[in-house]
Amino acid sequence: MATASVSSSREKELWRRLGEVNDPELDEPITEMGFVERAEVTSDGSVEIDFRLPTYWCSPNFAFLMLDGVRKALDQLSWAPAYRVKLHDHMFAEEVNRGMAEGKTFGDIFAVLAEDQDLGALRETFRMKAFKRRQEAVLRGLRQHGLTDREIIGMDLPAYDVARFEPGEAAKQQPRYRAALLERFPDRRADAPVFVTWEGQKIPPSALNAHLAELRGVRINMEFNGALCRGLKQTRYKELDVIDGEPTLVDFIMDRVPAGTAPAA
């Protein structure tokens, strides 16, 4: 049985790992979106996760990408625990949870649900949007910092790494854009330009305004979807205070049903 200090350390590691899993469409952590209803390290060291999306009909492909991210995060935990992940209130929750109980992989479970959709192509689309959204935030931050377009476009990794921003979106996205850049171009030399298109093309200083206009369109679309997602979640659920580091959700409707009565079917 784990001691209190070990248990606390494991809880922190668990939430840190889960915080590295993003909603693929929004490029925001699933923990910040409130999708992780409960994450607990039990007395025997195993892990239990309750996962709930904003709507009953959320795309099964999106659910797969997030749950697969959760699985990979749990596989990286330092003490290699057994774990149970349960999806709640989703049109495919029964199939997913039954498959998990039978020891199937997420890939096996979602192979039928995904039908003919190329999940690899879907991942790539979301990676591209995340790359662009992160890049735009840093570009705007550098402009606000007083750098010229030529200085920005000529920036390499060493210069990028020492750039400092006031707390805000640019500071948040600076390490995230770096990660996206090196994931997209793993062999990129340190002295190569940091700011390129998704295809790897150089951006002339004279074209930076047009490039930023394109990136702005991507950001606005993602922000709209994020606001819609949060609104749906808040309508369906009432979010309670964070308890022991865990954002706990309860049914919005059930919370308002008078005692002794049952909700309408």
Side-chain angles (χ1 to χ4, degrees), residues 93-105 109:
E94 182 178 347
E95 292 88 342
V96 171
N97 296 330
R98 182 173 63 246
M100 289 283 292
E102 293 171 355
K104 295 181 180 179
T105 66
I109 296 167

Side-chain angles (χ1 to χ4, degrees), residues 143 149 153 203-216:
R143 273 189 163 184
D149 290 355
I153 294 303
I203 306 167
S206 60
L208 186 55
N209 281 335
H211 181 69
L212 279 167
E214 176 198 342
L215 301 186
R216 180 175 179 270

Side-chain angles (χ1 to χ4, degrees), residues 110-129:
F110 280 87
V112 176
L113 303 181
E115 297 178 336
D116 296 327
Q117 179 143 4
D118 184 350
L119 290 178
L122 188 62
R123 286 184 195 272
E124 193 70 2
T125 296
F126 289 141
R127 284 179 59 211
M128 176 188 66
K129 290 183 177 181

Side-chain angles (χ1 to χ4, degrees), residues 68-122:
D68 194 46
V70 169
R71 177 187 63 79
K72 291 176 180 176
L74 297 177
D75 284 341
Q76 293 173 14
L77 291 171
S78 61
W79 70 101
Y83 54 79
R84 177 196 64 80
V85 180
K86 188 171 183 180
L87 176 63
H88 294 270
D89 301 334
H90 189 269
M91 59 182 173
F92 292 118
E94 182 178 347
E95 292 88 342
V96 171
N97 296 330
R98 182 173 63 246
M100 289 283 292
E102 293 171 355
K104 295 181 180 179
T105 66
F106 285 126
D108 290 338
I109 296 167
F110 280 87
V112 176
L113 303 181
E115 297 178 336
D116 296 327
Q117 179 143 4
D118 184 350
L119 290 178
L122 188 62

Side-chain angles (χ1 to χ4, degrees), residues 31 43 53 57 62 78 83-84 91 107 125 141 153 165 237 246:
T31 50
S43 59
L53 294 168
W57 57 87
F62 291 4
S78 61
Y83 54 79
R84 177 196 64 80
M91 59 182 173
T125 296
I153 294 303
F165 301 94
Y237 304 116
E246 300 178 16

Side-chain angles (χ1 to χ4, degrees), residues 58-71:
C58 279
S59 165
N61 296 329
F62 291 4
F64 165 76
L65 293 177
M66 282 183 272
L67 287 171
D68 194 46
V70 169
R71 177 187 63 79

Side-chain angles (χ1 to χ4, degrees), residues 11-186:
E11 290 276 359
K12 290 178 181 178
E13 181 184 348
L14 172 60
W15 280 100
R16 178 175 61 80
R17 286 293 185 186
L18 291 174
E20 295 169 354
V21 181
N22 291 326
D23 178 310
E25 185 182 25
L26 308 177
D27 192 38
E28 297 186 33
I30 59 172
T31 50
E32 292 184 13
M33 294 298 297
F35 298 161
V36 181
E37 179 179 351
R38 184 175 70 96
E40 181 178 344
V41 180
T42 66
S43 59
D44 64 2
S46 62
V47 170
E48 296 182 355
I49 304 288
D50 289 317
F51 195 82
R52 185 153 46 173
L53 294 168
T55 70
Y56 182 78
W57 57 87
C58 279
S59 165
N61 296 329
F62 291 4
F64 165 76
L65 293 177
M66 282 183 272
L67 287 171
D68 194 46
V70 169
R71 177 187 63 79
K72 291 176 180 176
L74 297 177
D75 284 341
Q76 293 173 14
L77 291 171
S78 61
W79 70 101
Y83 54 79
R84 177 196 64 80
V85 180
K86 188 171 183 180
L87 176 63
H88 294 270
D89 301 334
H90 189 269
M91 59 182 173
F92 292 118
E94 182 178 347
E95 292 88 342
V96 171
N97 296 330
R98 182 173 63 246
M100 289 283 292
E102 293 171 355
K104 295 181 180 179
T105 66
F106 285 126
D108 290 338
I109 296 167
F110 280 87
V112 176
L113 303 181
E115 297 178 336
D116 296 327
Q117 179 143 4
D118 184 350
L119 290 178
L122 188 62
R123 286 184 195 272
E124 193 70 2
T125 296
F126 289 141
R127 284 179 59 211
M128 176 188 66
K129 290 183 177 181
F131 177 95
K132 292 183 175 182
R133 183 181 187 183
R134 297 176 190 185
Q135 186 188 80
E136 189 228 13
V138 181
L139 286 171
R140 291 168 59 207
L142 289 170
R143 273 189 163 184
Q144 292 169 2
H145 215 55
L147 274 69
T148 67
D149 290 355
R150 187 169 298 279
E151 288 172 330
I152 293 171
I153 294 303
M155 186 173 285
D156 59 15
L157 271 177
Y160 181 86
D161 289 340
V162 299
R164 293 292 177 264
F165 301 94
E166 297 296 324
E169 189 65 13
K172 174 184 175 182
Q173 298 297 348
Q174 184 182 14
R176 302 184 82 228
Y177 173 66
R178 189 188 201 279
L181 176 72
L182 295 182
E183 180 183 19
R184 175 65 172 162
F185 307 107

